[in-house]
Amino acid sequence: MKAILRIMALAFAMALLPMAVMAQVPQQDTVEGSGIQVQNLSGEQATVTLTFYDSTDGSVAGSNTLTIEGNGSSTLLSFQEPLFNVDEGFDGSVVVESNQPVVAIVNLTNVQFGANAINEGYPGFSEGATTVNVPLVLRDNPSGTGNNISTSITVQNASDSSVTANINYVPGLAGNTGVTEANISLQPGQSRTFAQIDNAALGDRFVGSATVTADGPIAVAVTEEGNNQLFAYAAFTTAQSAPSIALPLVVANNTVNGSFTGLQIQNAGTEDTTVTFDFGQNQVDAAEPGLDSNVGIVCGTNGEVLNREVTIPAGASFTLLTKDFDGDNGDDPIDANGFDEQFFNCRYVGSANVTADQPLVAIVNQVRSNANREASAYESFTSDAGSGDTRAPLAAANNFGLFTGIQVQNVGTSQASVTIAYGPNTYSGPMTSCAANPASRTTTVAAGSAFTFLQNSFNPADDGLTIRGAIGFDSQFRNCGYVGSSTITSTGSDIVAVVNQVQFPAGGDTLTTYNAFNQ
């Protein structure tokens, strides 16, 4: 059985079973390199082969083979050993084959550090589809800082035969109607990238969505670039849409970083629908260390924030922003640009469930509004996609300043006991390594709520898993290096999870996000 994964810049693919997987990789102006983290889901040693395909004609550009120990993980980078074994400047896609079940993510980078860094990541796919939904498409959209953002859509052939694909654009907040990219010819494994900034037919400004269709299975990846920021996400097959979707991490004015989120919801159905945003319990404690004094208050009353409703036409999308600038949007609490007045001058960290009577898909953009410019995106989960076992191929602590935070959402109706277990440590940097096999940690998560396991601790007084609000700081990762993977399990209720990776101290756009893989 063949599975697919798509990736931007130099990238790889993954397999969810002992199978082949494919990935697409566009070379962007700001993306000069990439890396892929592969996690072996079995207890047996895995032999993994990666085959790279050139975007111009689909020819094989190179290959690599690696061995991953049972329950372990491995990282390949385009800019240092172990390499992809392709020529410099490679632009294309990859197929991964393994004799054991694996999952994988891709990180994209401009291969710079500090204030000039630009990074992002997204998860791989296990299969393609003939219809793929793209919730957010941009052309020259203002970012609020004088620099505009545009998307690029990469389409990869996930089959063993040639396919023809079409992109149909649907304007939302701005843009022209009736625009298509027609008759896109793709050889097996080949990918092609379409930059919306180059498509003047979309209008001077376009904010909307798209649907990609083909006569064979395809995978679609999207990057959003501009303002020295990079977002990336995997577009959605029909099987990944549902009338109820889960968003594990939603924030407003989060600590001194000023982080907020944009919830881009696409109606993947055939009829107009009313969409309800049901926000989870606010995890923020007013007395929590690090609360920005400029924020002043915690959003909501007793941790509860208001639900919101909007109407979205068939095929179209809507963006709700967990931020506002004056707290008074008149008769409509959500203004014409999607800013929600209840998130003015207050802090929120939580999750959301979004429901309708039509199938939905969504992405969540995370943005820091301060000078660090950190930005990332992740994909929604269908509410029935939760399970008692989810896998994160990359977890890190103090890896050249980078560490991860794993946000786990309880998507069930009862309390969950959640345990995070860590794979073998493969760190090889300048710091002292953390334990070869870090200890597992366990906590409880209420129904509909979320909890964050941080692979770091900044307080010498922390001992074990120190919980502040709904964030767990883990002292075993303080002042030492860890690179590995994690397995998150739950009893009592189903869970989903997303993983943030960020640099501390912050510099540039170092934030990357990917969805964990439910088993």
Side-chain angles (χ1 to χ4, degrees):
M1 176 178 176
K2 185 164 284 188
I4 63 172
L5 162 66
R6 44 186 197 98
I7 300 174
M8 307 299 198
L10 299 179
F12 313 100
M14 62 160 246
L16 295 180
L17 298 171
M19 61 176 86
V21 182
M22 310 171 86
Q24 14 172 254
V25 183
Q27 187 73 36
Q28 305 296 317
D29 292 339
T30 57
V31 177
E32 298 179 5
S34 62
I36 186 168
Q37 183 92 4
V38 183
Q39 181 182 10
N40 181 357
L41 302 183
S42 79
E44 303 295 324
Q45 186 181 81
T47 301
V48 181
T49 301
L50 301 91
T51 305
F52 298 87
Y53 295 86
D54 191 276
S55 64
T56 57
D57 58 8
S59 60
V60 174
S63 63
N64 201 344
T65 299
L66 61 153
T67 299
I68 305 177
E69 296 304 316
N71 299 311
S73 60
S74 182
T75 300
L76 282 85
L77 302 172
S78 64
F79 49 90
Q80 71 181 49
E81 297 290 343
L83 298 170
F84 293 174
N85 291 341
V86 294
D87 291 339
E88 183 177 358
F90 168 77
D91 174 5
S93 53
V94 62
V95 173
V96 175
E97 295 175 300
S98 173
N99 65 345
Q100 298 294 328
V102 297
V103 292
I105 61 160
V106 177
N107 283 331
L108 312 177
T109 178
N110 65 347
V111 200
Q112 297 189 40
F113 299 93
N116 296 319
I118 300 176
N119 299 319
E120 174 59 316
Y122 68 90
F125 308 97
S126 63
E127 60 183 354
T130 56
T131 299
V132 179
N133 295 293
V134 183
L136 181 63
V137 179
L138 304 171
R139 183 178 193 269
D140 223 15
N141 187 49
S143 67
T145 61
N147 298 298
N148 295 351
I149 294 178
S150 298
T151 52
S152 294
I153 298 174
T154 297
V155 184
Q156 183 191 6
N157 182 351
S159 75
D160 294 324
S161 304
S162 61
V163 302
T164 300
N166 300 278
I167 304 174
N168 300 291
Y169 297 98
V170 180
L173 187 61
N176 295 330
T177 60
V179 182
T180 63
E181 309 266 8
N183 299 316
I184 302 167
S185 179
L186 295 167
Q187 296 305 307
Q190 182 185 7
S191 65
R192 291 176 60 186
T193 299
F194 299 86
Q196 279 64 66
I197 193 64
D198 296 333
N199 191 342
L202 291 169
D204 292 339
R205 178 192 181 202
F206 185 92
V207 180
S209 57
T211 300
V212 187
T213 57
D215 57 6
I218 54 171
V220 178
V222 183
T223 55
E224 311 165 42
E225 296 183 72
N227 195 35
N228 293 317
Q229 294 174 315
L230 177 65
F231 308 78
Y233 70 90
F236 298 83
T237 67
T238 301
Q240 294 170 310
S241 66
S244 179
I245 56 177
L247 309 176
L249 180 59
V250 178
V251 300
N253 302 303
N254 190 23
T255 68
V256 294
N257 302 312
S259 301
F260 68 98
T261 41
L263 284 55
Q264 287 85 23
I265 314 298
Q266 183 182 14
N267 178 356
T270 58
E271 299 179 5
D272 298 356
T273 190
T274 298
V275 174
T276 300
F277 296 82
D278 183 357
F279 294 99
Q281 184 83 8
N282 194 348
Q283 301 175 16
V284 172
D285 181 343
E288 183 179 340
L291 181 62
D292 187 350
S293 60
N294 295 322
V295 171
I297 60 174
V298 175
C299 299
T301 302
N302 297 323
E304 299 287 343
V305 298
L306 300 175
N307 294 348
R308 297 302 196 201
E309 285 190 352
V310 299
T311 298
I312 305 179
S317 61
F318 175 85
T319 299
L320 186 147
L321 298 165
T322 55
K323 190 174 183 64
D324 199 47
F325 295 98
D326 59 14
D328 184 7
N329 292 334
D331 294 335
D332 191 341
I334 303 174
D335 73 11
N337 292 306
F339 292 99
D340 188 339
E341 66 182 15
Q342 72 175 326
F343 296 108
F344 170 68
N345 196 39
C346 65
R347 185 176 174 212
Y348 175 80
V349 178
S351 57
N353 289 301
V354 185
T355 56
D357 62 3
Q358 293 289 302
L360 306 173
V361 295
I363 63 166
V364 177
N365 280 347
Q366 299 181 86
V367 182
R368 289 187 174 183
S369 54
N370 64 0
N372 290 327
R373 311 184 320 275
E374 291 179 341
S376 71
Y378 73 86
E379 302 85 4
S380 61
F381 298 84
T382 61
S383 293
D384 62 0
S387 66
D389 181 353
T390 188
R391 308 297 178 95
L394 176 61
N398 303 303
N399 183 30
F400 296 92
L402 295 168
F403 70 96
T404 48
I406 301 176
Q407 179 95 358
V408 182
Q409 182 183 11
N410 180 349
V411 294
T413 57
S414 58
Q415 180 175 277
S417 177
V418 178
T419 298
I420 184 168
Y422 295 98
N425 190 356
T426 63
Y427 176 76
S428 61
M431 294 189 69
T432 300
S433 290
C434 300
N437 294 283
S440 300
R441 303 301 195 196
T442 300
T443 191
T444 57
V445 182
S449 295
F451 181 86
T452 301
F453 293 93
L454 282 185
Q455 285 69 59
N456 215 331
S457 171
F458 306 102
N459 189 337
D462 290 348
D463 184 15
L465 186 69
T466 301
I467 298 175
R468 299 186 181 96
I471 299 175
F473 297 83
D474 198 334
S475 65
Q476 70 179 326
F477 296 116
R478 186 172 61 247
N479 298 327
C480 63
Y482 174 77
V483 176
S485 56
S486 67
T487 297
I488 307 100
T489 56
S490 170
T491 57
S493 194
D494 290 338
I495 57 172
V496 296
V498 296
V499 183
N500 279 339
Q501 179 178 241
V502 70
Q503 186 175 34
F504 182 83
D509 178 13
T510 63
L511 180 63
T512 70
T513 306
Y514 71 90
N515 290 25
F517 298 86
N518 285 87
Q519 303 302 300

